[in-house]
Amino acid sequence: MLYISRRRATDADIVNIVDAARARNARLQVTGALIATDARFAQILEGSYAAIDELMDSIRRDQRHVQVDVVQDRQDDKRVFPIWSMAYSGRSVFAESLIDTLSRRGSDEHEGRHLKRLQDFMREFARTSL
C-alpha cells in the first residue's frame, strides 16, 4: 500500500515519527519506507490487512500531515522492504516532483508510470541505505 500526504511536520517531528513507526511496525510485523520532502510525505506499508488498517487509522488522525491519499491499495505477498520496519534516509528534494505528479492524478497509464518511478526510487534508497 502506498499513500501520499501534505506535510505539516517539522524536521524534529519526522525524527519522532520514524522512531515511533519503527517500533510500532516491528510489533505489527509491518515493513515499509517513508520519504519526506519539504511539502509532502510518501509511504509504502507492507503487512497484513489488519495491521495496515490499524496504522492507516492512526495515520489519518495524525495532525502532522493532511490530505492523506492512498494511491495504491494493492497488497503483494512478497515484501519489497523485508528487513525494514521503516526505511528512511532523510529529506528528498528529488522525490518532491514524483510525489507532486501523483497528487495531481491523471490518466491511469500516466499515473501508473509515475507510481512505478516513485516505488523504484523508494526501493533504491532503501537498498543503498544498508
Side-chain angles (χ1 to χ4, degrees):
M1 193 275 300
L2 187 150
Y3 77 84
I4 58 176
S5 63
R6 184 156 302 279
R7 175 182 164 179
R8 286 187 171 170
T10 65
D11 289 344
D13 288 335
I14 293 173
V15 170
N16 294 333
I17 288 168
V18 171
D19 289 345
R22 285 180 173 153
R24 182 196 248 171
N25 291 0
R27 179 178 54 81
L28 293 172
Q29 297 181 331
V30 169
T31 56
L34 173 70
I35 289 181
T37 70
D38 286 337
R40 299 191 179 274
F41 286 117
Q43 185 171 17
I44 293 175
L45 295 170
E46 305 167 322
S48 72
Y49 286 109
I52 300 298
D53 286 346
E54 179 180 329
L55 287 173
M56 286 306 296
D57 286 344
S58 175
I59 287 166
R60 285 187 175 102
R61 288 190 310 270
D62 192 325
Q63 297 299 305
R64 295 171 291 191
H65 63 159
V66 294
Q67 299 173 343
V68 176
D69 183 19
V70 174
V71 294
Q72 184 183 43
D73 199 19
R74 183 177 55 109
Q75 184 82 13
D76 283 340
D77 290 335
K78 184 178 183 218
R79 293 180 186 231
V80 176
F81 304 96
I83 64 169
W84 290 101
S85 61
M86 181 53 56
Y88 180 71
S89 67
R91 202 173 338 165
S92 172
V93 174
F94 174 74
E96 180 70 38
S97 65
L98 297 174
I99 299 167
D100 190 52
T101 300
L102 280 176
S103 72
R104 290 193 300 263
R105 298 264 179 135
S107 69
D108 288 343
E109 178 182 327
H110 179 76
E111 185 176 314
R113 184 169 26 107
H114 290 290
L115 180 62
K116 181 172 178 356
R117 286 183 65 210
L118 179 59
Q119 290 170 321
D120 289 347
F121 176 76
M122 294 174 85
R123 283 184 198 104
E124 185 61 21
F125 91 70
R127 188 184 68 76
T128 58
S129 297
L130 290 175

